[in-house]
Amino acid sequence: MRKRIPDDFKSGFVAIIGKPNVGKSTLLNRIMGEKLSIVSPRPQTTRHSIKGIYTSEKEQIVFLDTPGFVEARYELHHNMINAIESSLIDADLIIFMTDNHFPTDYDERVVAIVMKRVKVPKIAVINKDDLFDDEYKEATKNKLLEAGFDRVVTMSALNDEELSDFISDVTAFLPYSPPYYDKDNLSDMPVKFFAQEIIREQIFHMFREEIPYSSTVTIESFKEFDNKVEISANIWLERKSQKIILIGEKGSKIKEIRQASEKGIYELTGKRVKLELWVKIKQDWRKKSNALKEFGY
Ligand SMILES: Nc1nc2c(ncn2[C@@H]2O[C@H](COP(=O)(O)OP(=O)(O)OP(=O)(O)O)[C@@H](O)[C@H]2O)c(=O)[nH]1
Ligand SMILES: [Mg+2]
């Protein structure tokens, strides 16, 4: 029989926004205890809004990890900005995250947008507290309170110990409401999507400069059996010259991508993984709206 939902149960949607590379996806993954959103040392890693559904006995928080705010240099960026803006519309609470470099131009623009457009409560998180001192902390905290945030917290998203306090801070701002999702759901995306993101993450980790940004991944076939998963995926690049770099000498790089991805997908599914990767070119795909649609952006 289904357990009764207590009257004081709280739930709501919480959008996590902020400039690229501050640790938004790292925080989401820590809270969920699962790698839902890919993380890399390079900015603009996240491209879609990724939902993480945190459920306990007392609350359900639907976190939305968003792409870092970006200059719209490519059609792809317009789609990323749309993903951020639509996450603001449905949110019951906004978490604005910054780091040890506040304020940058990006920070200022995001804060201005949030204060102008968002009426719901707003928490500011100063992340990466391993990289700043008390003086920076106090000064930044004051600036954020002055800007209009309802609460300012400092943390390191790499540190699990601070998470339960953070969850309480968030829940305090949420409305009383029954949960929106079944407690067993961690996200609303299929396993196939996470497999695709895991492959994309390896490319972010292995290459510098333009290759990560010029690449995207599509899953062409995904067969899940009781004890194994068979996947065929395409890695799309923008130019022929990039293909040689991605494949590497005698296929060494593509092999590394395949092996690391198989490991990641194994950790996700608990099943043996056989992955086939194909490298393809779609000239200037980031500028073409029909290509973006085809690639799921
Ligand atoms: N030193 C330190 N590094 C951190 C902390 N939190 C996250 N990082 C690192 O910061 C980098 C960026 O983290 P992400 O979680 O990908 O950042 P993001 O805000 O999601 O970035 P985008 O998706 O590009 O917008 C990674 O290398 C993380 O390991 C922290 O508390 N301290
Ligand atoms: Mg991210």
Side-chain angles (χ1 to χ4, degrees):
M1 206 173 75
R2 226 187 130 159
K3 241 168 107 181
R4 214 182 135 259
I5 309 288
D7 291 338
D8 60 352
F9 196 91
K10 288 184 149 190
S11 22
F13 289 81
V14 176
I16 310 174
I17 64 166
K19 69 189 165 193
N21 213 41
V22 288
K24 301 178 294 296
S25 302
T26 307
L27 176 65
L28 181 86
N29 292 339
R30 286 283 155 154
I31 292 170
M32 299 306 300
E34 292 268 346
K35 175 106 164 257
L36 289 186
S37 201
I38 65 171
V39 168
S40 91
R42 258 167 272 296
Q44 297 174 31
T45 305
T46 305
R47 288 182 188 161
H48 300 269
S49 289
I50 311 273
K51 207 174 268 178
I53 307 166
Y54 172 90
T55 310
S56 77
E57 297 288 308
K58 296 179 297 196
E59 70 250 308
Q60 179 173 78
I61 314 173
V62 185
F63 288 101
L64 272 175
D65 175 25
T66 64
F69 255 74
V70 287
E71 312 264 10
R73 280 173 48 212
Y74 292 94
E75 189 70 23
L76 172 67
H77 295 158
H78 286 289
N79 296 17
M80 286 162 73
I81 292 170
N82 287 343
I84 301 164
E85 296 199 333
S86 53
S87 79
L88 296 181
I89 293 170
D90 293 326
D92 296 294
L93 172 73
I94 302 292
I95 295 175
F96 163 75
M97 189 183 264
T98 188
D99 58 5
N100 53 319
H101 300 290
F102 182 86
T104 62
D105 287 352
Y106 261 138
D107 282 317
E108 282 177 342
R109 274 168 42 207
V110 181
V111 170
I113 291 171
V114 165
M115 290 305 157
K116 196 166 139 214
R117 301 256 308 271
V118 179
K119 299 292 168 241
V120 296
K122 306 158 196 70
I123 298 181
V125 172
I126 316 170
N127 188 38
K128 308 197 182 182
D129 71 5
D130 49 317
L131 302 179
F132 57 78
D133 58 16
D134 284 349
E135 199 181 323
Y136 174 84
K137 173 175 150 176
E138 285 310 314
T140 308
K141 211 169 168 172
N142 289 336
K143 282 182 209 160
L144 289 162
L145 287 169
E146 266 167 41
F149 285 95
D150 298 283
R151 193 171 161 72
V152 180
V153 295
T154 53
M155 66 153 74
S156 166
L158 300 176
N159 186 356
D160 282 333
E161 283 155 30
E162 298 162 15
L163 282 181
S164 65
D165 284 348
F166 181 67
I167 294 289
S168 310
D169 283 336
V170 169
T171 304
F173 287 100
L174 295 185
Y176 292 105
S177 153
Y180 292 94
Y181 295 91
D182 190 280
K183 68 173 173 31
D184 297 328
N185 287 1
L186 292 185
S187 190
D188 60 344
M189 293 295 222
V191 180
K192 201 172 133 172
F193 170 78
F194 294 111
Q196 171 191 308
E197 288 286 278
I198 285 169
I199 301 165
R200 201 165 67 75
E201 183 179 40
Q202 304 317 317
I203 304 168
F204 263 79
H205 280 283
M206 284 182 46
F207 297 93
R208 272 159 224 295
E209 310 300 330
E210 93 272 15
I211 298 265
Y213 300 105
S214 297
S215 67
T216 195
V217 176
T218 54
I219 304 286
E220 299 302 308
S221 108
F222 188 94
K223 293 186 199 139
E224 195 166 356
F225 304 95
D226 285 345
N227 60 352
K228 66 172 176 185
V229 195
E230 286 178 5
I231 304 168
S232 170
N234 289 344
I235 298 176
W236 296 91
L237 295 164
E238 290 194 303
R239 285 188 302 280
K240 251 193 186 146
S241 57
Q242 297 170 332
K243 189 167 173 173
I244 305 155
I245 305 172
L246 189 107
I247 291 175
E249 210 177 315
K250 293 191 188 136
S252 61
K253 292 282 184 198
I254 190 85
K255 184 176 168 195
E256 235 182 278
I257 297 172
R258 179 172 55 75
Q259 288 174 338
S261 304
E262 283 180 340
K263 185 164 172 278
I265 300 167
Y266 167 75
E267 281 162 12
L268 178 78
T269 59
K271 295 179 183 181
R272 208 152 35 86
V273 182
K274 187 167 169 284
L275 175 65
E276 257 178 17
L277 290 176
W278 305 95
V279 184
K280 306 210 163 175
I281 312 293
K282 177 83 92 188
Q283 196 78 27
D284 296 325
W285 66 264
R286 279 185 291 176
K287 294 179 187 156
K288 293 179 176 158
S289 51
N290 55 348
L292 289 168
K293 207 160 168 193
E294 187 186 327
F295 293 155
Y297 291 108

